[in-house]
Amino acid sequence: MAAQRPRDILLVRNGDSPLARQACDRARGIFHAGGYNAVFLDAPSATELSEALTDTVRSRAAHVAAVVAVGGDGMAHLVLQVLHEVGQQGVDVAFGLIPAGSGNDLARFCGIPTRDTERAAGRVLRGLETPSQHMDLLAVDCADGSSHVCATTVCLGLDARVNARANRWTQIRVPAKYAVALVWEIMRLTSRDYTIDYTRPDGARRVADRRATFLSVANTSSYGGGLTIVPRADHRDGRAELFAVSDARPLRLLFLLPRLLLKTHENLAEIALEPVTSVTVVPHGTSSGPTVAHGTVTRSTSDPKTRTEKLPPHVAHGDGEPLGPLPVRVRILPAAVRVLF
């Protein structure tokens, strides 16, 4: 007798978000019509939610068809930490996404409807009934020994400072708060010097000292609620893109912003795009490299209560969430997670 296919779909949400609760209620009917059981999962904090999700996936792996993040990039980030961790332990569960947050860069990049819960839930169902698809992830090892995985972009320069400031403005919605934070940081601009040690897809290694403002490693095309930095990004090609903007005056950077929005910035002299499979970024004045905790994932948190008001001067942000201090090492993990989009 053939084993019964798993029929539970875990919907992971922020219980304090009315938008996420409404999306879960609407998605439940879609999944029920498709023959699946929607199981809601939330908790008072991001840490507790991660722990609850880990315990549920491990104990009910045989019954779980998919784990669906219901929210924005921060919720997707939280879920992916758990799926990567249990995946390393041999538990393979597919990842789905229903946008219901303020920042939805991953959803937009993957073509998931951001304002139509029913269609987004339908994408999950179609993914369950069609051959498996996978996407790359970025593995990030920080100087404090923590490790993370990210789906979209890891910000290391001025863009990380913009993320940190925007995260503290909880009453403003993305992309408005990101745009305001971006202008704020540009007008207070301080360029920094970095040593960048990277490996290209052909295996060639390069080491360069560079003064940069923006500095990111991208798996997808945009961050900050739609600011496109890598128009031709591909999350399934086994490589990332190192994006850097050289030292420039504030007024020049403000001039560049419309070009980013119009996706016409790639040929500008200040812009550098380099395909990479791994990169280590060391700000000048710090130690030579991160303390790497290989094979482990320290879960990031999207819980605002865990963020301090004053951040250290060099803190990496991934998927819009604070990760840890620089220096950092970022590596591409090809086909790291099974996805339903």
Side-chain angles (χ1 to χ4, degrees):
M1 182 176 178
Q4 186 177 5
R5 293 177 58 189
R7 309 307 296 183
D8 288 350
I9 297 178
L10 300 184
L11 298 176
V12 187
R13 66 187 184 186
N14 177 355
D16 293 331
S17 168
L19 188 61
R21 290 199 303 270
Q22 293 169 12
C24 284
D25 291 339
R26 294 165 67 181
R28 173 169 51 187
I30 302 296
F31 294 142
H32 181 73
Y36 290 87
N37 305 312
V39 180
F40 299 155
L41 195 63
D42 59 28
S45 71
T47 299
E48 291 171 283
L49 184 56
S50 293
E51 293 171 351
L53 177 58
T54 301
D55 292 342
T56 302
V57 171
R58 284 174 175 164
S59 63
R60 296 185 53 79
H63 305 281
V64 176
V67 176
V68 177
V70 184
D73 293 324
M75 185 57 67
H77 180 82
L78 183 151
V79 170
L80 285 170
Q81 308 312 299
V82 174
L83 293 185
H84 181 69
E85 181 179 352
V86 300
Q88 291 183 311
Q89 298 164 359
V91 180
D92 177 29
V93 180
F95 170 69
L97 179 60
I98 295 178
S102 54
N104 297 301
D105 285 295
L106 178 59
R108 276 190 295 269
F109 176 78
C110 296
I112 301 171
T114 59
R115 298 184 180 180
D116 190 331
T117 297
E118 286 79 10
R119 287 179 59 203
R123 287 280 296 268
V124 173
L125 286 180
R126 287 195 296 275
L128 287 168
E129 302 300 330
T130 54
S132 296
Q133 301 289 329
H134 291 77
M135 72 173 287
D136 305 336
L137 294 175
L138 299 173
V140 187
D141 300 313
C142 299
D144 60 2
S146 65
S147 296
H148 317 261
V149 293
C150 298
T152 57
T153 302
V154 178
C155 299
L156 305 169
L158 177 68
D159 29 22
R161 297 294 302 176
V162 172
N163 262 277
R165 185 169 297 280
N167 284 343
R168 293 199 289 268
W169 293 344
T170 58
Q171 301 305 312
I172 307 175
R173 290 180 63 82
V174 173
K177 69 177 179 180
Y178 194 90
V180 174
L182 182 58
V183 174
W184 180 287
E185 289 293 337
I186 285 176
M187 298 312 295
R188 301 171 67 249
L189 178 65
T190 301
S191 299
R192 294 186 170 98
D193 293 308
Y194 302 90
T195 296
I196 305 173
D197 183 342
Y198 63 92
T199 302
R200 293 174 48 85
D202 63 4
R205 181 184 173 191
R206 302 283 187 272
V207 181
D209 289 318
R210 176 175 294 172
R211 175 173 284 267
T213 50
F214 293 85
L215 184 62
S216 300
V217 183
N219 186 42
T220 59
S221 60
S222 68
Y223 56 34
L227 186 65
T228 299
I229 58 172
V230 185
R232 286 182 285 275
D234 184 346
H235 61 317
R236 291 173 176 153
D237 63 357
R239 71 183 199 179
E241 297 287 340
L242 178 63
F243 171 83
V245 179
S246 62
D247 186 20
R249 295 182 181 275
L251 289 179
R252 178 59 180 171
L253 287 178
L254 290 174
F255 170 78
L256 295 178
L257 292 182
R259 301 290 296 268
L260 290 172
L261 293 171
L262 295 171
K263 307 176 186 179
T264 60
H265 59 281
E266 291 179 277
N267 294 324
L268 295 175
E270 295 89 351
I271 303 293
L273 277 170
E274 188 78 32
V276 297
T277 55
S278 69
V279 57
T280 298
V281 175
V282 182
H284 286 193
T286 62
S287 59
S288 60
T291 301
V292 178
H294 291 291
T296 65
V297 173
T298 300
R299 300 186 193 111
S300 298
T301 175
S302 56
D303 187 350
K305 296 178 182 178
T306 66
R307 299 192 184 102
T308 58
E309 185 64 24
K310 185 177 180 180
L311 293 171
H314 300 287
V315 175
H317 281 64
D319 299 332
E321 301 299 314
L323 303 179
L326 276 66
V328 302
R329 181 189 181 204
V330 183
R331 297 168 290 123
I332 194 73
L333 300 176
V337 61
R338 185 159 52 99
V339 296
L340 304 174
F341 44 76

